[in-house]
């Protein structure tokens, strides 16, 4: 890992033997982008990477009348508007005297080992041996602002993280209208853009389309990263596959409004920008203040999409998720939501917990409905004390009974929300987001609490802290069931209302920070009406996230497959629920449901009291299987083999880092009569020379056979082979465990 600086021609080369990232100071003093890709040897001069074949079109504008230098054709590192580059700029300011800026000019740089911590914002972290950071200072004398562009290169990963800070060194206020966290100009646009789109109940479906001239973008202006677009895009070479050729991935470590866009210009340069969405954003930066924008993680892969995913997974497991959860195994949980909804009392819950414990389940989670007077979703959010009718002996009594069974106890909260029908609203209606004299927009009968106010965050902290201590809580599911409308804070001055969304999410982060600092051993699972805030910002505090309210095993194939593009599977909350499924009414076998849920953080979301003896015995086996392979699922390399977005079959596998063990999942949604396809599955990531035994069939094959010839799958019913068939009908699935020696 190294950062080479050529002082003479002001070139900077970040490399770690896997990737190189090169930029320089251009003739006008701004930063030019020279290269991002596979590692190349360092040289004294990379200026030949600069585009010099400037078309002398009438539309070209030249810097200081130099026909050899146009800001329109050069590749930028952090573009500004108004000096001859007519593409979207990375930054936009508003100043008292109407100046928009004369352009940022290189002033200085600083290299440090490790990675400086961000205050109040989630970000990847690294110690002195694991990463190096260069921060380049640029100045704009016309707006009296300094821009700090930070780049971190990690020793072991093909990853650069970027972030930006802006400092006001003048005497007047400056308003930031746009500040993107990263911008790169790729020299050509021969890529497909990949992203994850969806909505409630079908989150993170993979979308891909060719880049075309103009701007293409994904975004959220909902006050959450959203179900609809994950803060992730990738540029994939058209020849790239799941396992081969070049892919660049970009993921924003942020949980609120974002914009990720690619602008293909008239010379087919592709400008990729990621940052806070400028819509409604206006940040007042007073003299001597500094604004820190969130971080973007950029991954280069020469091993296709799967290579990109493995880099994201490794980075997030080792440098994003908080310390105890990197190695601690997460408990198998049962959540009462779909078992009872709002209809429960202590006795019913204890019976569910007892029954779950007999199955081997380790954590009992009490979901929505335990507080205030909440019998449906119209009341009580904000009243964080036990519902006296349902739990007359209080939460500590229930928690103790659960603990006495040898189980951990977990609780659902929705701290950011309030129902007008609540005691909190009676005493603090001014804490609601929006102008009270206006008609506020409701979502699920609830309003949003103003987390941009410190006293609101502190109030929630005290309430939650009290409950955590009194119940000796082990786990919290933090839900957020609506997006933000009426964005307005009575506590902010009128010229600061544009700060609301960012201040809100800083408040959410602040509450997470307070809670996780005081209770590092409480496991947090983030949730937002299912997977509406499934982003790296959340993972910094909560190492797992509820992927979707849709627990249908068939739907989960797509949701979990898409999610795995960026996020480690051990962060994906996935449960076995009842059949027919509550979201789709589809009936699938207990086996199919578990075979899908194993590839995540495993749990159950059903009423164990309604299971028959056979089902109970199957579940005991499932829990044994998951417990045996939990560390493999946590630490292994994940490979996607067959995509549910492309066919009727899905397959994936996880291989231990030492390649001695693997768990393979194969799923076929609809049966195909007298199938012509040979029932073999080509595996990945194994050791050519290791002999693997398939636990389920006791057959043994060498790694090379399994990868290049394929694993023989169980025999499917073909209409006449009933004496031999091992599976048939719709919704088939098999899981194989491979042990090498
Ligand atoms: C939405 C979540 O995604 C569900 O799992 C459940 O917790 C409900 N909210 C409860 O209101």
């Amino acid at each position: 890992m190294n950062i080479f600086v050529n002082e003479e021609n002001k070139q900077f080369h970040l490399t770690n033997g896997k990737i190189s990232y090169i930029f320089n100071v251009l003739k006008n003093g701004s930063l030019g982008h020279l290269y991002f890709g596979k590692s190349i040897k360092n040289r004294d001069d990379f200026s030949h990477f600069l585009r010099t074949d400037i078309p002398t079109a009438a539309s070209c504008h030249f810097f200081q009348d130099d026909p050899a230098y146009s800001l329109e054709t050069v590749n930028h590192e952090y573009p500004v508007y108004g000096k001859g580059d007519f593409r979207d700029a990375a930054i936009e300011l508003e100043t008292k005297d109407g100046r928009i800026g004369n352009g940022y000019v290189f002033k200085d740089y600083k290299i440090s080992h490790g990675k400086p911590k961000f205050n109040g914002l989630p970000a990847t972290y690294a110690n002195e041996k694991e990463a190096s950071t260069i921060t380049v200072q640029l100045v704009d004398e016309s707006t009296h602002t300094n821009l700090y562009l930070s780049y971190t290169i990690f020793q072991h990963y093909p990853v650069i993280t970027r972030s930006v800070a802006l400092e006001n060194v003048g005497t007047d206020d400056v308003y930031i209208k746009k500040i993107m966290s990263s911008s790169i100009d790729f020299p050509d646009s021969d890529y497909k853009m990949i992203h994850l789109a969806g909505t409630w109940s079908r989150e993170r479906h993979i979308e891909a389309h060719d880049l075309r001239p103009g701007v293409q973008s994904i975004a959220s202006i909902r006050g959450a990263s959203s179900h609809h677009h994950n803060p992730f895009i990738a540029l994939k070479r058209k020849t790239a596959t799941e396992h081969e050729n070049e892919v660049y991935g970009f993921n924003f470590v942020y949980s609120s409004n974002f914009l990720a866009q690619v602008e293909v210009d008239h010379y087919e340069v592709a400008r990729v920008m990621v940052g806070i969405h400028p819509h409604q954003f206006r940040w007042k930066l007073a003299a001597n203040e500094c604004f820190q924008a969130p971080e973007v993680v950029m991954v280069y892969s020469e091993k296709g999409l799967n290579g990109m995913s493995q880099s994201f997974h490794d980075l997030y497991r080792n440098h994003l998720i908080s310390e105890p959860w990197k190695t601690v195994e997460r408990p198998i949980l049962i959540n009462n939501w779909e078992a009872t909804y709002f209809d429960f009392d202590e006795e019913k819950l204890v019976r569910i917990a007892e029954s779950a414990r007999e199955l081997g389940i380790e954590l009992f989670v009490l979901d929505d409905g335990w507080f205030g007077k909440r019998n449906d979703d119209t009341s009580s959010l904000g009243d964080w004390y036990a519902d006296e009718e349902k739990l007359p002996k209080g939460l500590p009594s229930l928690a103790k009974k659960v603990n006495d069974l040898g189980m951990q106890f977990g609780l659902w909260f929705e701290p950011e929300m309030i129902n007008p029908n609540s005691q909190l609203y009676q005493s603090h209606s001014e804490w609601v987001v929006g102008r009270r004299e206006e008609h506020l927009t409701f979502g699920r009968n609830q309003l949003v609490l103003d987390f941009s106010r410190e006293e609101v965050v502190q109030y929630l902290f005290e309430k939650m802290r009290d409950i955590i201590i009194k119940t000796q809580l082990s786990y919290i599911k933090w839900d957020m069931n609506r997006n933000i409308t009426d964005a307005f804070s009575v506590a902010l001055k009128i010229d600061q209302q544009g700060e609301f969304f960012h201040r809100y999410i800083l408040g959410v982060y602040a509450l997470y920070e307070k809670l996780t600092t005081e209770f590092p051993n409480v496991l947090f699972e983030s949730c937002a009406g299912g997977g509406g805030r499934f982003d790296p910002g959340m993972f910094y505090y909560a190492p797992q996230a509820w992927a979707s309210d849709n627990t249908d095993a068939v739907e989960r194939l797509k949701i979990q497959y898409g999610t795995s593009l960026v996020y480690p599977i051990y962060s994906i909350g996935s449960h076995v629920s009842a059949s027919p499924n509550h979201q789709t009414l589809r009936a699938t076998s207990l086996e199919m449901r578990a075979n899908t849920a194993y590839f995540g953080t495993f749990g159950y979301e059903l009423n164990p009291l309604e299971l028959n003896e056979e089902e109970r015995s199957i579940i005991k086996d499932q829990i044994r299987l998951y417990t045996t392979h939990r560390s493999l699922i946590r630490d292994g390399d994940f490979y996607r083999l067959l995509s549910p977005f492309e066919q009727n079959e899905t397959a994936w596998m996880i291989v231990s880092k030492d390649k001695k063990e693997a768990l393979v999942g194969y799923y076929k949604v609809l049966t195909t009569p007298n199938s012509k396809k040979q029932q073999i599955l080509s595996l990945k990531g194994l050791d050519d020379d290791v002999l693997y035994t398939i636990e389920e069939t006791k057959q043994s094959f060498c790694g090379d056979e399994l990868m290049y010839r394929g694993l023989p799958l169980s025999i499917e019913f073909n209409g006449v082979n009933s004496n031999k068939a091992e599976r048939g009908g719709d919704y088939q699935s098999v899981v194989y465990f491979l042990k090498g020696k």
Side-chain angles (χ1 to χ4, degrees):
M1 171 180 53
N2 223 330
I3 299 180
F4 295 100
V5 180
N6 184 328
E7 294 285 353
E8 217 163 285
N9 55 12
K10 293 280 178 298
Q11 282 178 8
F12 304 86
H13 179 189
L14 287 69
T15 184
N16 59 6
K18 297 177 197 313
I19 52 165
S20 284
Y21 191 100
I22 308 172
F23 56 89
N24 69 341
V25 178
L26 296 171
K27 190 175 169 188
N28 68 337
S30 69
L31 291 194
H33 178 72
L34 294 180
Y35 179 77
F36 177 32
K38 191 175 164 72
S39 169
I40 51 179
K41 282 184 290 300
N42 192 47
R43 292 183 61 176
D44 281 349
D45 191 9
F46 285 112
S47 53
H48 48 286
F49 286 3
L50 207 62
R51 186 165 181 184
T52 48
D53 55 330
I54 301 176
T56 47
S59 65
C60 240
H61 299 71
F62 302 107
F63 178 70
Q64 291 178 344
D65 214 15
D66 176 353
Y69 186 66
S70 162
L71 293 175
E72 194 162 358
T73 48
V74 87
N75 290 342
H76 295 267
E77 201 56 27
Y78 203 73
V80 297
Y81 175 73
K83 291 288 160 187
D85 176 8
F86 295 96
R87 294 162 289 183
D88 254 5
I91 188 163
E92 217 182 311
L93 302 181
E94 195 184 298
T95 53
K96 200 174 156 199
D97 57 8
R99 288 176 194 266
I100 60 167
N102 197 31
Y104 285 94
V105 172
F106 173 83
K107 171 101 186 283
D108 204 358
Y109 70 91
K110 205 174 104 193
I111 293 177
S112 57
H113 295 301
K115 187 167 187 288
K117 197 173 156 27
F118 280 23
N119 257 349
L121 273 174
T124 56
Y125 54 83
N127 69 27
E128 293 181 352
K129 292 193 183 123
E130 294 166 333
S132 294
T133 301
I134 177 165
T135 300
V136 181
Q137 182 190 3
L138 300 126
V139 298
D140 175 21
E141 283 175 359
S142 88
T143 56
H144 306 290
T145 52
N146 287 349
L147 188 67
Y148 298 90
L149 302 185
S150 292
Y151 303 77
T152 296
I153 183 156
F154 287 77
Q155 185 179 4
H156 297 300
Y157 310 104
V159 173
I160 300 277
T161 60
R162 275 188 69 171
S163 65
V164 176
L166 189 79
E167 184 186 22
N168 182 352
V169 288
T171 47
D172 295 323
D173 297 338
V174 170
Y175 292 88
I176 309 171
K177 290 166 67 185
K178 179 180 186 183
I179 181 161
M180 300 306 276
S181 290
S182 74
S183 177
I184 298 190
D185 290 346
F186 283 84
D188 72 85
S189 60
D190 196 19
Y191 295 96
K192 270 185 189 298
M193 174 169 151
I194 311 284
H195 57 107
L196 299 171
T199 183
W200 174 79
S201 181
R202 53 179 168 81
E203 295 89 339
R204 292 175 298 288
H205 281 206
I206 300 175
E207 294 290 331
H209 60 77
D210 288 356
L211 287 183
R212 49 180 166 64
V215 173
Q216 40 249 280
S217 67
I218 53 148
S220 168
I221 50 171
R222 293 168 172 270
S225 48
S226 88
H227 299 84
H228 308 79
H229 291 291
N230 200 260
F232 155 79
I233 54 172
L235 293 191
K236 172 176 108 68
R237 282 289 179 203
K238 289 179 185 159
T239 50
T241 63
E242 192 61 51
H243 300 283
E244 276 164 8
N245 290 340
E246 285 190 314
V247 178
Y248 295 85
F250 302 83
N251 195 203
F252 195 29
V253 188
Y254 194 56
S255 313
S256 185
N257 296 352
F258 75 91
L259 173 66
Q261 78 172 38
V262 185
E263 179 174 4
V264 176
D265 75 2
H266 41 291
Y267 299 122
E268 293 187 7
V269 170
R271 171 170 295 174
V272 181
M273 269 193 212
V274 181
I276 295 178
H277 204 303
H279 177 78
Q280 297 285 329
F281 179 81
R282 187 169 178 268
W283 190 274
K284 179 177 171 179
L285 196 67
N288 300 319
E289 281 182 356
C290 190
F291 179 84
Q292 174 66 60
E295 165 175 88
V296 176
V297 176
M298 310 190 303
V299 168
Y300 168 78
S301 165
E302 53 179 328
K303 292 192 179 142
L305 281 168
N306 209 101
M308 172 200 74
S309 303
Q310 289 187 352
S311 297
F312 275 124
H313 296 181
D314 283 341
L315 184 81
Y316 290 171
R317 286 188 289 208
N318 296 314
H319 298 278
L320 181 68
I321 284 169
S322 62
E323 198 54 65
W325 305 109
K326 287 181 185 175
T327 47
V328 172
E329 286 181 347
R330 320 268 174 79
I332 297 174
L333 68 83
I334 186 150
N335 180 304
N336 76 308
W337 178 239
E338 291 193 3
T340 66
Y341 293 102
F342 295 102
D343 181 18
F344 58 81
D345 56 20
E346 185 184 290
E347 194 202 326
K348 193 172 184 178
L349 296 176
V350 172
R351 280 199 291 124
I352 291 176
E354 279 167 354
S355 176
R357 184 63 197 140
E358 283 165 18
L359 298 172
I361 293 173
E362 300 156 331
L363 162 68
F364 174 81
V365 179
L366 174 54
D367 208 279
D368 194 356
W370 58 264
F371 48 90
K373 290 187 176 19
R374 187 151 163 106
N375 295 313
D376 54 32
D377 61 14
T378 60
S379 84
S380 303
L381 286 171
D383 295 345
W384 299 113
Y385 52 84
D387 181 322
E388 285 171 5
E389 271 180 35
K390 293 181 192 175
L391 303 168
K393 296 184 204 147
L395 281 174
S397 154
L398 174 64
K400 181 164 184 323
K401 286 184 180 154
V402 171
N403 291 157
D404 288 348
L405 293 170
M407 287 177 107
Q408 299 174 34
F409 181 63
L411 213 48
W412 179 97
F413 285 92
E414 194 174 5
E416 298 158 70
M417 298 293 155
I418 184 166
N419 287 116
N421 184 5
S422 67
Q423 288 195 359
L424 183 64
Y425 193 82
Q426 300 297 319
S427 47
H428 280 301
S429 62
E430 80 285 5
W431 282 1
V432 164
V433 170
R435 298 172 204 252
R436 270 173 304 151
E437 67 276 14
E438 291 178 0
H439 288 294
L440 298 182
T441 304
F442 280 72
R444 209 195 188 203
N445 308 302
Q446 63 204 49
L447 296 171
V448 183
L449 279 173
D450 186 352
F451 263 51
S452 73
R453 301 174 69 156
E454 266 180 48
E455 69 271 36
V456 175
V457 172
Q458 183 61 25
Y459 174 85
L460 268 310
F461 171 60
E462 283 164 20
K463 290 282 161 208
M464 291 174 81
R465 177 174 58 186
D466 192 45
I467 293 170
I468 295 172
I469 293 170
K470 287 196 176 127
T471 55
Q472 296 184 24
L473 217 52
S474 300
Y475 163 105
I476 287 177
K477 178 177 174 187
W478 178 323
D479 206 346
M480 190 243 191
N481 277 296
R482 58 158 294 176
N483 291 143
I484 298 176
T485 55
D486 306 287
F488 181 87
S489 170
V490 292
L492 284 173
K493 298 206 177 92
I494 291 305
D495 70 339
Q496 289 187 281
Q497 291 297 332
E499 301 173 17
F500 171 75
F501 277 109
H502 186 59
R503 287 192 182 276
Y504 178 94
I505 203 68
L506 291 181
V508 171
Y509 292 149
L511 181 54
Y512 261 119
E513 184 76 43
K514 283 169 188 276
L515 290 167
T516 51
T517 305
E518 189 156 339
F519 305 104
N521 297 319
V522 172
L523 171 61
F524 282 80
E525 175 152 355
S526 79
C527 170
R533 212 160 55 181
F534 204 108
D535 59 63
M538 285 289 118
F539 285 121
Y540 179 75
Y541 306 101
Q544 59 193 56
W546 186 223
S548 176
D549 278 350
N550 193 341
T551 50
D552 176 297
V554 175
E555 291 300 309
R556 275 301 186 116
L557 293 175
K558 284 189 175 153
I559 294 170
Q560 292 175 208
Y561 192 97
T563 304
S564 78
L565 239 57
V566 191
Y567 306 100
I569 63 164
Y570 205 51
S571 67
I572 302 176
S574 52
H575 299 168
V576 175
S577 59
S579 176
N581 180 269
H582 290 202
Q583 291 75 37
T584 60
L585 303 182
R586 183 186 278 130
T588 55
S589 67
L590 200 45
E591 189 187 20
M592 169 77 177
R593 282 171 274 152
N595 284 349
T596 310
Y598 290 143
F599 293 83
T601 63
F602 193 61
Y604 289 83
E605 187 117 359
L606 44 68
N607 190 342
L609 300 167
E610 289 170 4
L611 298 168
N612 61 33
E613 274 317 306
E614 190 193 348
E615 289 168 326
R616 291 181 69 78
S617 136
I618 294 174
I619 288 182
K620 281 182 190 166
D621 288 343
Q622 293 175 347
I623 289 170
R624 261 192 294 277
L625 184 143
Y626 190 79
T627 316
T628 312
H629 304 309
R630 195 158 30 188
S631 56
L632 167 62
I633 293 161
R634 182 192 60 201
D635 302 331
D637 290 329
F638 188 65
Y639 291 87
R640 290 179 297 269
L641 304 175
L642 298 173
S643 167
F645 297 100
E646 287 163 18
Q647 62 219 319
N648 187 24
E649 291 157 290
T650 300
W652 49 41
M653 66 187 289
I654 187 142
V655 185
S656 62
K657 291 277 179 195
D658 66 4
K659 297 181 187 285
K660 289 284 167 53
E661 292 186 345
L663 196 67
V664 181
Y666 167 82
Y667 316 83
K668 183 167 183 177
V669 175
L670 295 179
T671 187
T672 44
N674 203 2
S675 178
K676 56 183 177 208
K677 213 172 141 196
Q678 213 181 341
Q679 301 286 297
I680 48 173
L681 177 68
S682 296
L683 304 186
K684 292 273 176 202
L686 301 174
D687 186 326
D688 275 358
D689 302 322
V690 167
L691 186 71
Y692 295 91
T693 302
I694 320 290
E695 192 177 72
E696 291 69 20
T697 63
K698 308 292 174 233
Q699 294 164 298
S700 294
F701 304 97
C702 272
D704 52 3
E705 294 172 73
L706 290 167
M707 291 192 287
Y708 315 133
R709 201 272 168 179
L711 166 78
L713 293 166
S714 57
I715 299 167
E716 188 180 10
F717 180 63
N718 65 8
V720 288
N721 64 350
S722 44
N723 54 338
K724 283 206 288 191
E726 294 161 294
R727 61 188 159 91
D730 295 339
Y731 320 130
Q732 305 167 16
S733 68
V734 264
V735 163
Y736 297 104
F737 175 63
L738 278 55
K739 180 91 189 143
K741 54 170 187 230

